[in-house]
Amino acid sequence: MDQPLPPESSLTSDDGQPEVIREESRHLSKEQLSTLISAASINLGSMMCYSILGPFFPNEAEKKDVSNTVIGMIFGCYALFNLMSSLLFGKYLVHIGSKFMFVAGMFVSGGATILFGMLDQAPDGPVFITMCFLVRVVDAISFAAAITASSSILAKAFPNNVATVMGSLEIFSGLGLVLGPPLGGFLYQKFGYEVPFIFLGCLVLLMVPLNMCILPNFDPTPSENSFWKLITLPKVGLMSFVIISLSGGFGFLDPTLSLFVLSKFNLSAGYVGLVFLGLALSYAISSPLFGLLSDKIPSLRKWLLVFGNIITAVCYMLLGPVPILHIESQLWLLVLALVVNGISAAMSIIPTFPEVLSCAYENGFEEGLSTLGLVSGLFGAMWSLGAFIGPTLGGFLYEKIGFEWAAAIQGLWTLITGLAMGLFYILEHCQGKRCEPKNTFSREEEREERTSLLPHGV
């Protein structure tokens, strides 16, 4: 194992010249800065394109003779194909090339967003529904390519600060979620259905040449490891359920929250977009904090995961609120629940990627772009699975039992996964105590060396 280095830059290299030991950890290299800009651009652009539908598309689709269940399926099909594509792109990342996958995905996503803006010209009923599904599928596949490549490149460029960097970049994801609904609602009210999609699609396309110039290339190294070997690890399997439940919660709100707010509080489309602001803004602001905590105190990740899920479950119970609580539905309470939900979701989501990555390394996966691609693809696939189940089931439950009970069921799902994860960590701790070998100290030292994501002395 590498020994801790002295804090000063007084060490010398083989040729006798002084080396600055901590320079890399304190200052970003040109390659790292370019990677951050590229990742920020895809996070911002993709989240704006994804969230713009929330305030007005369900209402517009109803005018086209589309039921609430089918609206939920239109939202959900995006996640379904994102799921399958993430697994595929994660597996073949090293063969396709991370930079090409990133840029090509962004280009196709921008074009698909513009095409979605033309769908109001399609005839009502089956033709409109079919075109919505086709365009969303293309957008989902391209988005999966860009995000899988982006996560892998980030983990490769920042091997010592994965959670901090990804948590910080969630600011741009949150900013996209913040800007998308109100901007989409405003442009829809002023200019009609087409303009929001054309504007955002062109914005994403303008980012393509920028990323072609600045995004670095990384040399790929093929590996024999597989998704099946990764996901059958008990810890990774349970964390996959955590990711699915949290993603399902976000997906559940897409087709249901706007309809509930419109009917319950009689708000316009522009103000409905502002309601989404509470969730997205709190998530974006709190994500860097939980990323930093995950890197500085790796042992804290497990409890962030557990308690984040439990708090999220309570928030969903209060969104309606669930009738058994006998609390009157009020706009301020709904917004407060969304704000706390954003914070608790960040508490659970941010530690998952470094936890899965650490578990993979501890179980013999090779350190390199290939493993990063597998982990990124797995994370994207599980997130997409939840994003498919959430709106699909949410649209159906909203139609059958109403928003209040549908939100409560979503909260129960999150509560169960959080408690299951907590039980696993407790059993893991107890088993470790019983089976502790004589060389525990050296094993623990090695584990801390592998899982701690901050360099020594920082």
Side-chain angles (χ1 to χ4, degrees):
M1 305 298 296
D2 294 333
Q3 297 300 316
L5 295 171
E8 304 297 331
S9 57
S10 56
L11 296 184
T12 58
S13 59
D14 294 338
D15 59 1
Q17 297 299 317
E19 295 180 333
V20 181
I21 301 303
R22 303 294 175 207
E23 197 68 22
E24 183 180 358
S25 62
R26 291 193 181 122
H27 301 286
L28 295 177
S29 66
K30 182 179 179 181
E31 183 180 78
Q32 289 175 323
L33 182 61
S34 299
T35 302
L36 282 177
I37 294 173
S38 296
S41 69
I42 189 62
N43 282 22
L44 177 64
S46 61
M47 288 299 101
M48 287 182 69
C49 292
Y50 179 81
S51 63
I52 194 177
L53 274 69
F56 61 88
F57 178 76
N59 189 50
E60 192 74 20
E62 283 185 336
K63 297 177 184 178
K64 294 278 192 178
D65 298 327
V66 184
S67 68
N68 289 328
T69 301
V70 175
I71 292 173
M73 292 175 66
I74 291 173
F75 278 93
C77 79
Y78 181 96
L80 178 62
F81 281 86
N82 200 301
L83 157 67
M84 296 184 291
S85 303
S86 294
L87 293 173
L88 187 65
F89 289 133
K91 176 66 176 176
Y92 294 103
L93 175 71
V94 295
H95 303 285
I96 299 172
S98 55
K99 181 174 181 176
F100 176 79
M101 186 184 292
F102 182 99
V103 174
M106 178 174 275
F107 176 78
V108 176
S109 181
T113 302
I114 294 174
L115 286 176
F116 205 87
M118 308 296 180
L119 295 183
D120 67 324
Q121 306 298 323
D124 296 357
V127 175
F128 175 79
I129 293 172
T130 302
M131 294 303 298
C132 284
F133 276 114
L134 288 176
V135 177
R136 288 286 281 176
V137 166
V138 172
D139 195 17
I141 294 173
S142 59
F143 174 77
I147 290 297
T148 301
S150 174
S151 300
S152 304
I153 292 171
L154 277 172
K156 182 70 173 178
F158 297 90
N160 299 318
N161 305 88
V162 178
T164 300
V165 170
M166 289 190 169
S168 299
L169 284 171
E170 286 302 302
I171 292 176
F172 294 93
S173 297
L175 187 60
L177 291 172
V178 166
L179 294 177
L183 178 62
F186 172 77
L187 292 176
Y188 172 75
Q189 282 187 318
K190 293 293 183 181
F191 305 104
Y193 178 83
E194 299 92 344
V195 173
F197 297 100
I198 294 174
F199 174 80
L200 285 183
C202 291
L203 185 64
V204 172
L205 289 177
L206 287 175
M207 297 177 184
V208 172
L210 170 68
N211 286 293
M212 290 178 67
C213 295
I214 68 173
L215 187 65
N217 268 317
F218 290 102
D219 295 329
T221 305
S223 172
E224 297 299 322
N225 294 316
S226 65
F227 279 112
W228 180 249
K229 181 182 177 183
L230 180 63
I231 201 170
T232 50
L233 297 174
K235 187 175 180 180
V236 174
L238 275 175
M239 269 189 284
S240 296
F241 283 110
V242 170
I243 297 169
I244 292 169
S245 69
L246 294 168
S247 174
F250 283 137
F252 162 79
L253 296 175
D254 286 331
T256 60
L257 183 61
S258 62
L259 295 175
F260 174 72
V261 172
L262 283 169
S263 62
K264 193 75 174 180
F265 305 108
N266 297 317
L267 298 180
S268 64
Y271 284 105
V272 172
L274 292 177
V275 172
F276 281 85
L277 186 70
L279 175 66
L281 193 60
S282 60
Y283 176 78
I285 293 174
S286 58
S287 290
L289 171 64
F290 292 121
L292 187 62
L293 286 174
S294 295
D295 277 345
K296 280 185 173 288
I297 315 173
S299 60
L300 188 62
R301 294 182 202 143
K302 60 185 70 174
W303 305 118
L304 291 177
L305 278 167
V306 174
F307 287 109
N309 269 48
I310 294 173
I311 296 171
T312 298
V314 175
C315 290
Y316 280 104
M317 300 289 182
L318 294 175
L319 281 180
V322 61
I324 60 174
L325 296 178
H326 302 293
I327 299 175
E328 184 182 354
S329 179
Q330 299 182 62
L331 184 60
W332 70 265
L333 179 61
L334 183 141
V335 173
L336 177 62
L338 287 174
V339 170
V340 178
N341 187 11
I343 297 172
S344 60
M347 188 188 301
S348 297
I349 293 168
I350 298 304
T352 53
F353 190 96
E355 275 285 277
V356 173
L357 188 60
S358 298
C359 184
Y361 288 154
E362 289 169 359
N363 285 273
F365 282 68
E366 301 170 4
E367 298 188 23
L369 195 60
S370 179
T371 298
L372 294 175
L374 289 176
V375 174
S376 299
L378 177 67
F379 186 91
M382 296 303 103
W383 185 268
S384 299
L385 181 57
F388 169 72
I389 296 173
T392 304
L393 183 61
F396 173 77
L397 291 176
Y398 178 89
E399 196 171 298
K400 298 299 181 182
I401 60 176
F403 179 82
E404 293 87 351
W405 281 109
I409 291 174
Q410 175 59 50
L412 180 63
W413 179 15
T414 309
L415 178 64
I416 292 172
T417 57
L419 293 177
M421 199 74 227
L423 180 61
F424 172 83
Y425 279 126
I426 292 173
L427 293 175
E428 184 183 52
H429 178 75
C430 293
Q431 185 179 19
K433 286 288 186 181
R434 289 196 303 267
C435 304
E436 193 174 55
K438 293 182 179 180
N439 60 342
T440 299
F441 181 78
S442 61
R443 285 173 178 261
E444 185 64 22
E445 185 181 53
E446 180 179 352
R447 185 180 184 279
E448 287 297 322
E449 188 84 17
R450 297 289 295 274
T451 58
S452 179
L453 300 176
L454 280 178
H456 290 291
V458 178

